[in-house]
Amino acid sequence: MKSLLKFCALPAAALALSAGVASAQPVAQTPLSQPVQASGSVNPSRPSNCGVLGDGAIQVLQVTQDFAAVDIAVSGTSGLTLLIQGSNGFSECHTGGGGTINAPGLLNQGTYSFFVGNSTQTPTSYNLTIREN
């Protein structure tokens, strides 16, 4: 299985912040009977090690089995960034210079929050799709 694209460690404060924001966001649970889709736009205002992020998670995924093989795709504005934060300090940063990110991989059991941002403070539109293999 391919590993997720780029890894970026974030401070513990960012991890704690994501836990508080995620509860108000849409939650999907594996196994997925159909792909999860989310779209919209964010005004990046929160600097991080993964570009400038919007204020909250755009999607939450609960992996209920031991692990889930997933394909995560995000398209949007040039300079797009995707931060995935999960249980036990999991944190991965993906960048899509041309406005597209594809991140196949395995997620262990736990809860994962997905944050969209930009390499600058540019308003960012996005389309997120999560498929389980």
Side-chain angles (χ1 to χ4, degrees):
M1 174 68 47
K2 293 180 184 177
S3 63
L4 294 174
L5 301 177
K6 291 184 180 179
F7 176 78
C8 185
L10 294 178
L15 293 172
L17 178 60
S18 71
V21 200
S23 61
Q25 302 309 314
V27 177
Q29 190 174 56
T30 63
L32 299 174
S33 58
Q34 52 188 299
V36 172
Q37 296 185 334
S39 62
S41 62
V42 296
N43 288 317
S45 61
R46 186 170 56 110
S48 77
N49 290 342
C50 193
V52 184
L53 302 174
D55 287 332
I58 60 162
Q59 182 67 52
V60 174
L61 177 66
Q62 291 180 334
V63 176
T64 59
Q65 61 264 52
D66 290 340
F67 64 88
V70 295
D71 288 320
I72 301 162
V74 185
S75 61
T77 308
S78 181
L80 182 70
T81 64
L82 173 67
L83 173 64
I84 306 169
Q85 291 184 326
S87 304
N88 301 320
F90 177 91
S91 182
E92 283 193 348
C93 176
H94 303 270
T95 58
T100 303
I101 297 170
N102 291 300
L106 293 174
L107 295 177
N108 292 324
Q109 186 175 29
T111 301
Y112 297 85
S113 298
F114 296 80
F115 298 85
V116 168
N118 200 290
S119 56
T120 64
Q121 255 183 309
T122 306
T124 302
S125 61
Y126 65 86
N127 291 300
L128 168 74
T129 303
I130 303 170
R131 288 184 171 83
E132 188 172 7
N133 298 324

